[in-house]
Amino acid sequence: MSFPKPSQSQLNLATSTDGPPPSPLTMRTIRKIQSQQTLSSNNNPPSTARQSRQHSTRLSAGAEDLSKLPQPAPSRPPPHRRARSNSDASHEPVVSPTLKRPARKTGSGFGVKRSVLESLLRDGPQNGNIMEGLQELRYLILSTRVDADADGMSTYRIYLWLALLGVPPVPTDDYLSLVHRGRSPEYTKIRNDTFRTLATDPLFKRRVTEASLIRLLNAVAWRLHDEKTTPTSRRESTRRREKDLLFSTPPSIAEDEPFVDDRSPTTTTSSNMSESAIYVQGMNVLCAPFLYAARSEVEAYALFHYFITKECPGYVRGAMDGVHKGLRLVDRCLEVIEPKLAAYLFGKGMQAELYAFPSVLTLCACTPPLPEVLHLWDFLFAYGPHLNILCIVAQLIRMRDTILENPSPNKILRSFPPLDAKEIIALTVLIVRKIPDALYAELLEHAK
């Protein structure tokens, strides 16, 4: 989908019959063990290399009612338990009564005043106009930010992402059926990457287990595998029927006929699917923030699959042509915004291909701290992931003096300074007005 260039007014904003039933925790643990056994029972062993570890407008179709989320707790909590991942636990971590401390609030609960952003997301627009409501959501993200604690955790961020991207609900059974199929054709590649996903980030390692990351990536790999092997006409017919169900529109007679498109996309779509990879290195890092922010693996799965297939499919094709286009756009945008800095880097042979590949591929998720990555992603999902290219340019501009004073800028660009989402977003909305329309159109389409 095309994203219009942000308007001037927007740019000015800096889930035994004799005894008591088993607890949810017990049943969830049994399912995890069964899933792990299924993954481990295949003849394809893990690799021996394993060592010690997305300015758019869309209809909101999947935001859930936050007030109805159950949060059961076991009747006999263990005395000590580490904080588990939101994606791996069915309830909040249990704390020993002797160590009980006041819970941190992020805008929800009794006695806590909800922010305007959270209230709008929960209650919807007053006049019922979805498009106006989405515009107001974007405005509030840019002006007030999402409420979150020191670890970047928010009670409503994941629902905000679902609404902004227009991701419909995914039945839990659909996800479980993919998990229970066992190892995908790309299982070994996945295992080679998962153990080193954000390995130095203590927040991520504390909340998201490697097993959770493996399950999600393996399920997405199965889904992409099925989409590649399904005939195009059948796939398009299925998508059309899913859209009808989503908007509760009865199918017409014409929609029951074989799929026909005046643009004749069958060959192109089939070609794109055959070129698409099931898994490429770096998808593990791109997936990580979804798992960290989500309250369940199913939510993370729905968002991640939608993102890599609809927002940036070019990033996960076998040749990663979308990433390489993005890298060239980093150089061109830097040349327009900061010609002196660009000339200095080019003179040293420092094109973006040499230092910005991870930042383009992962939407800056490779640069800590993770809470700042989440705030940056709030902005990117609100106004378009294509703006990540300009966010990278903004980081280079913030390093401008240091780079120009250093005779070997490659040493500086090996790792970017810690993210400051507020400053990067403010600089991005300032420099976007300097981008020519033709170049901005390339930004919009480079990841497709």
Side-chain angles (χ1 to χ4, degrees):
M1 177 178 289
S2 299
F3 292 89
K5 193 170 183 179
S7 64
Q8 186 66 29
S9 61
Q10 291 166 329
L11 294 175
N12 289 335
L13 293 168
T15 172
S16 102
T17 57
D18 298 328
S23 68
L25 177 62
T26 301
M27 297 304 297
R28 191 173 184 89
T29 302
I30 293 175
R31 288 199 299 269
K32 287 182 189 175
I33 295 174
Q34 291 173 339
S35 298
Q36 189 64 32
Q37 289 175 341
T38 303
L39 283 174
S40 302
S41 63
N42 222 314
N43 292 325
N44 184 15
S47 171
T48 57
R50 183 171 181 261
Q51 305 285 331
S52 50
R53 353 229 190 182
Q54 175 194 156
H55 229 334
S56 70
T57 56
R58 283 198 177 88
L59 291 174
S60 172
E64 302 177 18
D65 187 354
L66 303 182
S67 62
K68 296 180 181 179
L69 286 174
Q71 295 184 354
S75 57
R76 299 180 62 183
H80 299 287
R81 181 178 177 180
R82 71 175 178 86
R84 296 300 303 274
S85 163
N86 280 355
S87 62
D88 236 20
S90 59
H91 51 77
E92 296 297 329
V94 179
V95 182
S96 173
T98 59
L99 300 177
K100 189 171 293 185
R101 291 175 294 181
R104 286 180 292 183
K105 299 291 185 179
T106 60
S108 297
F110 295 105
V112 178
K113 184 178 180 180
R114 294 186 305 197
S115 67
V116 178
L117 178 57
E118 183 181 4
S119 296
L120 177 60
L121 183 63
R122 284 175 174 264
D123 305 332
Q126 292 183 355
N127 58 2
N129 189 314
I130 300 298
M131 290 301 183
E132 289 184 4
L134 286 173
Q135 285 295 95
E136 189 173 355
L137 278 179
R138 297 186 180 102
Y139 173 92
L140 292 171
I141 290 171
L142 199 58
S143 60
T144 65
R145 300 193 4 147
V146 172
D147 292 326
D149 62 21
D151 293 347
M153 303 308 297
S154 170
T155 57
Y156 64 90
R157 169 179 274 130
I158 196 67
Y159 307 107
L160 181 64
W161 290 1
L162 289 163
L164 290 171
L165 295 177
V167 180
V170 171
T172 301
D173 287 345
D174 289 1
Y175 175 68
L176 291 177
S177 66
L178 293 170
V179 171
H180 292 159
R181 287 168 67 175
R183 296 179 178 181
S184 71
E186 301 297 319
Y187 179 77
T188 300
K189 292 182 181 179
I190 292 171
R191 289 300 301 269
N192 284 341
D193 289 342
T194 51
F195 72 92
R196 52 175 166 245
T197 304
L198 304 185
T200 61
D201 194 314
L203 294 178
F204 181 78
K205 304 304 289 186
R206 187 169 73 237
R207 293 183 180 272
V208 181
T209 66
E210 185 187 2
S212 177
L213 192 58
I214 292 171
R215 283 194 298 269
L216 192 149
L217 289 171
N218 196 68
V220 170
W222 273 124
R223 176 79 178 271
L224 296 177
H225 174 269
D226 293 347
E227 290 175 352
K228 289 185 67 175
T229 57
T230 302
T232 305
S233 59
R234 178 181 173 187
R235 184 167 57 248
E236 295 292 348
S237 177
T238 300
R239 289 175 180 170
R240 179 169 290 213
R241 292 180 183 276
E242 288 176 349
K243 184 177 180 181
D244 291 335
L245 291 173
L246 178 61
F247 294 101
S248 300
T249 304
S252 64
I253 297 176
E255 291 169 332
D256 288 333
E257 297 174 355
F259 175 76
V260 176
D261 192 335
D262 293 336
R263 298 172 298 174
S264 301
T266 301
T267 302
T268 302
T269 304
S270 178
S271 175
N272 286 342
M273 288 304 298
S274 63
E275 294 173 3
S276 177
I278 297 176
Y279 177 83
V280 296
Q281 191 174 23
M283 285 174 64
N284 56 315
V285 181
L286 186 60
C287 172
F290 290 114
L291 266 176
Y292 185 83
R295 298 173 69 94
S296 74
E297 285 182 26
V298 183
E299 292 170 339
Y301 160 79
L303 277 164
F304 181 63
H305 175 265
Y306 176 90
F307 191 76
I308 64 174
T309 57
K310 297 296 189 294
E311 297 296 343
C312 61
Y315 283 10
V316 298
R317 292 195 190 104
M320 295 185 177
D321 55 313
V323 179
H324 293 288
K325 288 179 182 178
L327 291 167
R328 292 191 290 270
L329 286 169
V330 171
D331 288 334
R332 293 172 61 190
C333 291
L334 182 63
E335 201 168 13
V336 170
I337 305 302
E338 278 287 344
K340 181 178 179 181
L341 177 59
Y344 182 77
L345 288 175
F346 298 162
K348 299 289 184 178
M350 293 297 295
Q351 278 74 26
E353 288 270 1
L354 299 177
Y355 60 84
F357 189 95
S359 297
V360 173
L361 173 60
T362 67
L363 272 69
C364 295
C366 60
T367 306
L370 191 50
E372 293 299 304
V373 172
L374 301 181
H375 281 301
L376 186 63
W377 279 28
D378 296 335
F379 167 71
L380 294 177
F381 292 163
Y383 290 94
H386 60 283
L387 291 177
N388 178 57
I389 302 299
L390 297 184
C391 289
I392 297 172
V393 173
Q395 293 176 72
L396 293 172
I397 294 175
R398 284 168 53 83
M399 303 163 59
R400 180 181 184 276
D401 293 340
T402 304
I403 293 174
L404 292 176
E405 293 170 0
N406 197 303
S408 300
N410 59 311
K411 297 180 180 180
I412 301 173
L413 296 175
R414 286 175 184 170
S415 61
F416 284 12
L419 281 180
D420 185 335
K422 184 177 181 180
E423 294 296 326
I424 293 172
I425 292 171
L427 187 53
T428 298
V429 297
L430 287 175
I431 66 178
V432 69
R433 68 186 69 187
K434 299 182 180 181
I435 302 298
D437 290 342
L439 183 55
Y440 190 83
E442 293 186 47
L443 284 174
L444 285 168
E445 298 298 325
H446 80 276
K448 304 303 182 183

